[in-house]
Amino acid sequence: MTRPVRARIDLQAVTHNLSVVRQAAPQSRVMAVIKANAYGHGVIPVTRALMKADAFAVASLEEAMQLREAGISHDIVLLEGVFDPEELELAITHQLQLVVHCEEQVSWLEGFKSGASVHLWLKVNTGMNRLGFSPQTALAMWQRLQRLSYVKTNCLRWLSHLACADEADNPLNSTQLVRFTEVTHFSETLQGTGAERSLANSAALLTRPDMHFEWVRPGIMLYGASPMASNHELEVELQPVMTLESRLIAVHQRAKGETIGYGQDWTCPQDMPVGVVAIGYGDGYPRHAPSGTPMLVNGKTVALAGRVSMDLICVDLRNQADAKAGDIVTLWGVGVPVEKVAQHVGTISYELLCGVTSRVPRFYQSN
Ligand SMILES: *Cc1c(COP(=O)(O)O)cnc(C)c1O
């Protein structure tokens, strides 16, 4: 038997989650965010399950080229644009759409000659304070980009990113909306017609219809995890896409007072069975997961016991006395939401999903 760790990827769930996006934002086009290897799920199969999306968004030219090489001819947006002027040529050859977030990028574009038509997304900083032009500067940049011969009027668009959309009642959300609306309205008066706009990530898509505009940019919800910081207010039925699983490779009876694993971090409170699972931080299971982090053995919840090692973890099997080597362990996915594991670990579902390492084979099912 080979090492039993695997990530099962349910491609039908991806397609289902896209239909949830469509229902939530029926008036908008969908830019599906598939950066970071589709949040760890495997970008090519996931993209194929998302063929009904209107565009894809990635973080780098390399990620975009991977899609082009797989024959995907959809619109693809580089969320940070190009990183140097050499990339510009390649990006345009491959018909990629570029975010423009800084003055250097504007200058590179001004130095570039192209016969092809290029789509640009001008990024405005409305309160995230990470990338993008201030609303004041953005208008001057808009005018410079408008003058480029290879940028047609309807090919220049607005984009901004929300800092706190996962907290539905954070007042910054509405502040960002007001700033975004103001700056984009001004460009409308400049050019006489409205430009297309994009503001909403998954969280805003599900909670703020007033932020949908012409394009929504869902990421995490396509993978079936809730985008909200606290999980309660969502009524939509997202289906988890990744189920990370392995198997028990040993079960030992331990005596009360024996300690488990590195650093003697966990002590058996009684005579009890302790299972050993073939997964560890070398696979992307988080090393900082504390004892008590839930997982399923044969469909029943059990708890991590002791420190996570590179290839192995131990579990408290007191409520699973019949469990034996070979039994399936689900670390997250169907039956154990990745958000719940993330909460125990003090991180977010995004990091857990992206962190599954290349050593873990992905098994794709489309039912
Ligand atoms: C990653 C990303 C998204 C997707 O965010 P989710 O919270 O995963 O929906 C949207 N827009 C930008 C600019 C991003 O970087």
Side-chain angles (χ1 to χ4, degrees):
M1 189 176 82
T2 55
R3 192 164 175 268
V5 61
R6 61 198 49 196
R8 294 189 186 284
I9 309 294
D10 181 349
L11 295 173
Q12 195 156 298
V14 176
T15 309
H16 166 84
N17 295 334
L18 178 61
S19 74
V20 173
V21 169
R22 292 285 186 200
Q23 278 164 27
Q27 311 297 331
S28 304
R29 275 177 281 167
V30 176
M31 187 192 295
V33 181
I34 52 166
K35 61 196 179 191
N37 195 28
Y39 290 39
H41 293 69
V43 72
I44 299 302
V46 166
T47 304
R48 294 208 191 288
L50 289 171
M51 279 294 134
K52 288 194 178 144
D54 301 292
F56 295 112
V58 296
S60 69
L61 184 67
E62 289 79 5
E63 290 182 341
M65 303 270 276
Q66 206 185 339
L67 298 178
R68 287 287 183 255
E69 275 154 27
I72 289 152
S73 57
H74 284 60
D75 289 340
I76 301 176
V77 180
L78 296 183
L79 287 170
E80 285 120 67
V82 290
F83 295 89
D84 59 44
E86 287 74 51
E87 277 199 349
L88 189 54
E89 176 108 44
L90 266 173
I92 289 173
T93 310
H94 288 88
Q95 291 175 307
L96 306 180
Q97 303 190 357
L98 309 177
V99 164
V100 180
H101 67 78
C102 64
E103 157 104 63
E104 287 82 357
Q105 291 177 329
V106 176
S107 310
W108 300 338
L109 285 160
E110 286 172 336
F112 189 77
K113 302 277 170 289
S114 172
S117 166
V118 180
H119 284 74
L120 302 177
W121 295 83
L122 186 59
K123 184 157 190 176
V124 53
N125 171 25
T126 53
M128 174 75 161
N129 294 331
R130 194 178 58 181
L131 291 180
F133 297 100
S134 71
Q136 297 76 22
T137 332
L139 287 166
M141 295 304 149
W142 183 269
Q143 288 174 296
R144 281 169 68 178
L145 297 175
Q146 258 188 326
R147 278 184 227 119
L148 298 172
S149 61
Y150 53 87
V151 178
K152 310 279 178 292
T153 305
N154 64 344
C155 301
L156 188 51
R157 299 171 176 172
W158 287 108
L159 180 139
S160 188
H161 196 45
L162 297 160
C164 300
D166 59 334
E167 303 163 20
D169 43 17
N170 192 309
L172 182 60
N173 294 324
S174 292
T175 304
Q176 290 198 253
L177 174 61
V178 168
R179 290 178 184 151
F180 190 62
T181 308
E182 279 172 5
V183 69
T184 57
H185 178 75
F186 196 79
S187 78
E188 193 175 328
T189 44
L190 270 182
Q191 67 183 32
T193 122
E196 291 177 19
R197 297 156 291 178
S198 179
L199 180 60
N201 55 6
S202 299
L205 197 161
L206 290 172
T207 59
R208 294 291 300 253
D210 55 340
M211 294 189 178
H212 287 175
F213 296 103
E214 288 74 27
W215 287 88
V216 290
R217 303 194 307 272
I220 193 73
M221 69 179 286
L222 294 172
Y223 309 101
S226 168
M228 305 313 286
S230 53
N231 233 335
H232 39 81
E233 63 261 67
L234 282 185
E235 280 160 31
V236 294
E237 290 288 315
L238 296 171
Q239 294 174 0
V241 173
M242 180 195 292
T243 296
L244 181 65
E245 63 181 40
S246 188
R247 289 178 192 266
L248 289 170
I249 59 168
V251 174
H252 300 289
Q253 200 61 35
R254 299 290 178 208
K256 177 179 180 182
E258 285 194 287
T259 60
I260 303 299
Y262 284 121
Q264 298 189 300
D265 250 25
W266 198 80
T267 306
C268 296
Q270 63 191 99
D271 294 355
M272 58 180 282
V274 173
V276 184
V277 187
I279 194 162
Y281 63 81
D283 305 295
Y285 190 81
R287 200 185 80 88
H288 294 287
S291 292
T293 302
M295 65 195 76
L296 300 181
V297 170
N298 297 327
K300 265 180 109 181
T301 304
V302 298
L304 178 68
R307 269 188 216 168
V308 173
S309 357
M310 190 182 291
D311 311 313
L312 297 169
I313 58 174
C314 293
V315 281
D316 173 349
L317 289 176
R318 277 177 292 176
N319 68 358
Q320 274 286 297
D322 297 333
K324 55 189 185 312
D327 287 355
I328 291 195
V329 182
T330 305
L331 288 313
W332 61 67
V334 174
V336 214
V338 64
E339 302 94 296
K340 184 170 162 187
V341 176
Q343 240 165 38
H344 277 263
V345 180
T347 183
I348 53 176
S349 58
Y350 303 66
E351 189 184 23
L352 296 184
L353 296 171
C354 287
V356 175
T357 61
S358 57
R359 167 165 104 171
V360 177
R362 272 72 167 168
F363 284 82
Y364 295 92
Q365 321 159 214
S366 27
N367 296 340

